[in-house]
Amino acid sequence: MDWFRRQEREWRTGWAFALPGFSALAIVMGFPLVYALVMSVSSQTLLHPDLLPLKGLDNFITVMSDPGFWGATWLTVIYSVVTVAGEFVLGLGIALMLNRTVKMKPVYFALLTIPMAMSPVSVALIWRMLLQPNLGIVNHVIESLGGAPVDWLGNANLALWTMAGIDIWQQVSFVILILAAGLASLPKDPYEAAEVDGANAWQQFWNITLPMLRPVAMITVVIQLINEFRTYDLPYVLTRGGPGTSTEVLSFFAYRRAFLGLSLNEGATASFMLLLIVLAMTVVFFALLERNK
């Protein structure tokens, strides 16, 4: 009986300490999530501000019947895969170089954190000025080298890749810091044994570094995929989803449907679909991570 009483006291004490945190999460995260779900099944628009009558799954059917939704979803997938792959490859290469014993390593890390510390809106505004077709510095350099000016953000074939490059420039710093921390935590014994066995640098990287770094790498990929799937600042400031719909990712599609199309319910539905996609992707990645363990 004493054991049960002690367990009950510990259980009550634990919940007493956790209750403030759970309450804050319920207010900050739970209420907006529930309200967005209610909006997604309501008839609320900017012209009809009432939630009632509820429409059930009609909003989901309407949004999923729109070819623009699937186009935005596919564009979001392409954009996310390209940016995360670029960030990971570039970040891993720089992290491997910084992992070696080099002078002024703290200075390099401090410089690498500058893009990450900048807000996406400020980054987008800076790059929009740099890439301006007539007065931008980038086109000025190209013209001085004998090339023709490029409309980086006004060309439907280039706008998405330009936006992805800007995103990689800003977000790669985070990947570098995470992977560099993972590399610094790896044990040295396997490398010493590999050198005794005559393994070269590539063999050590492929057979030792990558397998041991896999958990950190997968978590980094998951975090960045979530960030890229919900990206909104860059397309809003750089292109407003254009030219046409060439850079209209799913988050911007939801914004356009809600505020430009005056349909708050359908915008909430598109946002909830984005949430479901990110949740499913996160579950799959962590399931793969657990299986690899």
Side-chain angles (χ1 to χ4, degrees):
M1 293 296 295
D2 292 338
W3 182 85
F4 285 108
R5 290 175 180 173
R6 186 168 60 253
Q7 291 295 317
E8 184 179 1
R9 285 197 301 269
E10 292 178 356
W11 182 83
R12 290 180 177 177
T13 302
W15 274 106
F17 279 105
L19 188 58
F22 281 128
S23 301
L25 285 176
I27 295 173
V28 175
M29 298 179 60
F31 176 75
L33 185 62
V34 172
Y35 187 73
L37 179 59
V38 173
M39 285 181 61
S40 67
V41 297
S42 73
S43 57
Q44 185 179 34
T45 67
L46 288 176
L47 301 178
H48 180 270
D50 296 328
L51 292 172
L52 299 176
L54 298 180
K55 300 177 66 175
L57 297 178
D58 289 350
N59 292 329
F60 288 89
I61 296 173
T62 301
V63 170
M64 295 178 69
S65 300
D66 186 352
F69 169 78
W70 296 108
T73 301
W74 178 241
L75 199 67
T76 303
V77 172
I78 295 175
Y79 178 81
S80 301
V81 170
V82 169
T83 51
V84 172
E87 291 162 8
F88 183 81
V89 173
L90 186 60
L92 180 60
I94 297 176
L96 287 170
M97 289 189 292
L98 291 175
N99 191 49
R100 298 184 177 183
T101 303
V102 294
K103 295 180 180 180
M104 300 175 64
K105 184 183 291 188
V107 177
Y108 295 143
F109 278 113
L111 293 175
L112 286 171
T113 58
I114 293 177
M116 184 180 64
M118 299 172 64
S119 69
V121 173
S122 61
V123 169
L125 289 173
I126 291 171
W127 277 101
R128 192 173 69 175
M129 290 188 291
L130 293 176
L131 298 175
Q132 209 277 337
N134 300 319
L135 303 175
I137 296 176
V138 175
N139 275 346
H140 178 73
V141 173
I142 293 176
E143 290 180 358
S144 66
L145 296 176
V150 180
D151 192 358
W152 297 97
L153 299 173
N155 188 325
N157 297 321
L158 287 178
L160 182 68
W161 311 113
T162 302
M163 191 170 71
I166 295 172
D167 200 337
I168 292 172
W169 176 84
Q170 183 189 19
Q171 296 294 331
V172 71
S173 301
F174 174 78
V175 178
I176 293 171
L177 294 177
I178 298 298
L179 294 180
L183 289 171
S185 65
L186 297 181
K188 306 299 181 184
D189 296 342
Y191 295 97
E192 296 174 356
E195 289 181 359
V196 172
D197 292 337
N200 56 35
W202 171 253
Q203 290 172 330
Q204 293 181 32
F205 169 75
W206 187 259
N207 297 301
I208 299 176
T209 304
L210 278 184
M212 290 196 299
L213 194 63
R214 183 181 299 164
V216 176
M218 290 192 68
I219 292 175
T220 304
V221 168
V222 170
I223 293 174
Q224 289 305 104
L225 272 177
I226 293 173
N227 287 333
E228 301 302 342
F229 258 84
R230 61 185 182 85
T231 187
Y232 171 79
D233 310 77
L234 290 183
Y236 180 83
V237 177
L238 290 172
T239 63
R240 293 297 179 97
T245 57
S246 59
T247 59
E248 187 178 76
V249 292
L250 194 51
S251 59
F252 192 84
F253 172 84
Y255 158 79
R256 183 173 60 82
R257 200 63 173 258
F259 297 103
L260 302 183
L262 306 181
S263 300
L264 295 177
N265 52 352
E266 295 179 4
T269 301
S271 299
F272 210 79
M273 294 292 292
L274 175 60
L275 173 63
L276 293 178
I277 293 172
V278 171
L279 286 177
M281 181 180 61
T282 305
V283 170
V284 170
F285 266 92
F286 276 100
L288 292 174
L289 180 61
E290 290 297 322
R291 188 174 68 178
N292 288 333
K293 285 183 179 180

